[in-house]
Amino acid sequence: MEIKIFKDYQALSEQAASEIEEVIKLKPDAVICLATGESPKLTYQLLVKKLIDGKIDLSDCTLIGLDEWVGVPPTTEGSCHHFLYKEIFSPLGISENQIHLFDALSGNLFLECQNMDKLILEKGDIDLMVVGIGMNGHIGFNEPGIPVDNYSHVINLDSTTQTVGQKYFAHPTELKKGITLGLKHLLQAEKVVLLANGDKKASIIKETLEGPISIDVPATVLRMHLNAMVIIDEEAAGLLSEKTLLDSQTASNV
Ligand code: PGA
């Protein structure tokens, strides 16, 4: 696993956007899984700029949403669906047949999971997953304790996720369950880029990079991935040991 530390959110987002650009250049029909949240937001805005500047073309890509809050309508600001359309799909003019998101209002969520797994299998795996990390170490809605061999599934959200998740919504919203790609997808993806910024993430980043590899902190499984990159800012790296800092490929501006 590679660790890259940047001065601030702007710099880490530029790096993340370049990583996405590189994957698309190498494989124009790449399958890309996108997280939502504050961490990747600027990355997506920079990606939109690259498209407008003619630096990338996503018209042959398949874009998959990492997760969704069960029971939250796609039109609600705060849903992953709404975020992805607002930040990336609509500005990039992505056509509907390229987009694959969980329908979290479906009466058959099990089928939703099956359909997502089938699609990924048919595409022959995910080329790039862009993910954030929760305050409890979750990736997507892979909450602490989740088995590593899970593909898509529905899960009861842990109390941290239910509380922290309120930040995305204009009004208090019931967030009891999530539907998500699994850790197995993460481990099988060709490449994973994890983004984290701000001192609020410093403690969980330290646990992720220096603590024992354990499903109690799901993000630690990324250390078993041969092509995972953790892109963080100085604040998120604030509690890392000297050794980790030395091991990391420190960006030139740090
Ligand atoms: P954030 O969310 O990017 O809004 O911090 C990360 C997550 O919970 O996965």
Side-chain angles (χ1 to χ4, degrees):
M1 187 174 66
E2 199 179 348
I3 304 165
K4 293 196 177 194
I5 303 170
F6 288 87
K7 191 171 183 316
D8 54 22
Y9 182 54
Q10 174 76 30
L12 83 83
S13 303
E14 281 168 14
Q15 178 67 32
S18 297
E19 297 294 337
I20 300 171
E21 178 182 358
E22 194 182 308
V23 167
I24 296 166
K25 282 201 169 136
L26 283 172
K27 191 172 178 199
D29 63 346
V31 178
I32 302 177
C33 171
L34 300 171
T36 58
E38 290 168 355
S39 312
K41 198 167 172 174
L42 181 55
T43 300
Y44 298 158
Q45 289 167 0
L46 295 170
L47 205 63
V48 171
K49 195 167 175 310
K50 282 181 192 284
L51 182 98
I52 292 166
D53 294 347
K55 290 191 179 148
I56 49 164
D57 175 8
L58 275 93
S59 55
D60 288 328
C61 291
T62 297
L63 300 172
I64 291 174
L66 176 62
D67 52 10
E68 187 57 279
W69 309 98
V70 168
V72 174
T75 47
T76 301
E77 193 162 352
S79 70
C80 302
H81 192 110
H82 186 276
F83 175 100
L84 287 172
Y85 271 86
K86 180 168 174 242
E87 299 298 334
I88 190 160
F89 297 156
S90 300
L92 286 177
I94 305 288
S95 72
E96 283 299 317
N97 61 8
Q98 292 175 259
I99 300 171
H100 301 273
L101 305 181
F102 289 116
D103 173 5
L105 295 183
S106 165
N108 191 344
L109 293 171
F110 179 67
L111 188 63
E112 280 297 304
C113 293
Q114 276 191 326
N115 287 342
M116 186 60 89
D117 292 348
K118 191 162 162 264
L119 171 90
I120 293 168
L121 204 64
E122 282 168 5
K123 294 279 175 191
D125 267 336
I126 300 170
D127 294 292
L128 173 66
M129 288 182 77
V130 180
V131 300
I133 180 169
M135 300 297 284
N136 61 358
H138 74 197
I139 291 186
F141 287 137
N142 290 280
E143 300 284 49
I146 194 74
V148 288
D149 54 359
N150 263 30
Y151 286 107
S152 298
H153 57 279
V154 175
I155 187 163
N156 292 326
L157 297 174
D158 111 358
S159 58
T160 307
T161 303
Q162 293 186 33
T163 308
V164 176
Q166 297 299 328
K167 70 178 174 177
Y168 306 117
F169 295 88
H171 308 287
T173 305
E174 189 175 82
L175 303 172
K176 289 258 181 274
K177 286 179 189 286
I179 181 166
T180 182
L181 264 64
L183 291 181
K184 188 106 181 186
H185 286 121
L186 200 80
L187 290 172
Q188 289 182 344
E190 282 296 321
K191 179 171 185 146
V192 179
V193 170
L194 182 144
L195 311 176
N197 64 286
D199 52 14
K200 64 181 183 301
K201 293 284 172 75
S203 167
I204 194 62
I205 284 294
K206 183 176 178 66
E207 271 191 76
T208 299
L209 301 181
E210 297 176 0
I213 296 178
S214 156
I215 55 170
D216 293 339
V217 182
T220 58
V221 307
L222 264 191
R223 280 158 52 198
M224 303 191 298
H225 197 293
L226 292 178
N227 196 12
M229 188 183 280
V230 173
I231 304 179
I232 54 181
D233 68 357
E234 282 181 5
E235 287 185 0
L239 296 176
L240 294 177
S241 68
E242 275 302 308
K243 177 171 184 322
T244 310
L245 294 174
L246 279 175
D247 287 349
S248 69
Q249 184 194 325
T250 306
S252 55
N253 53 354
V254 172

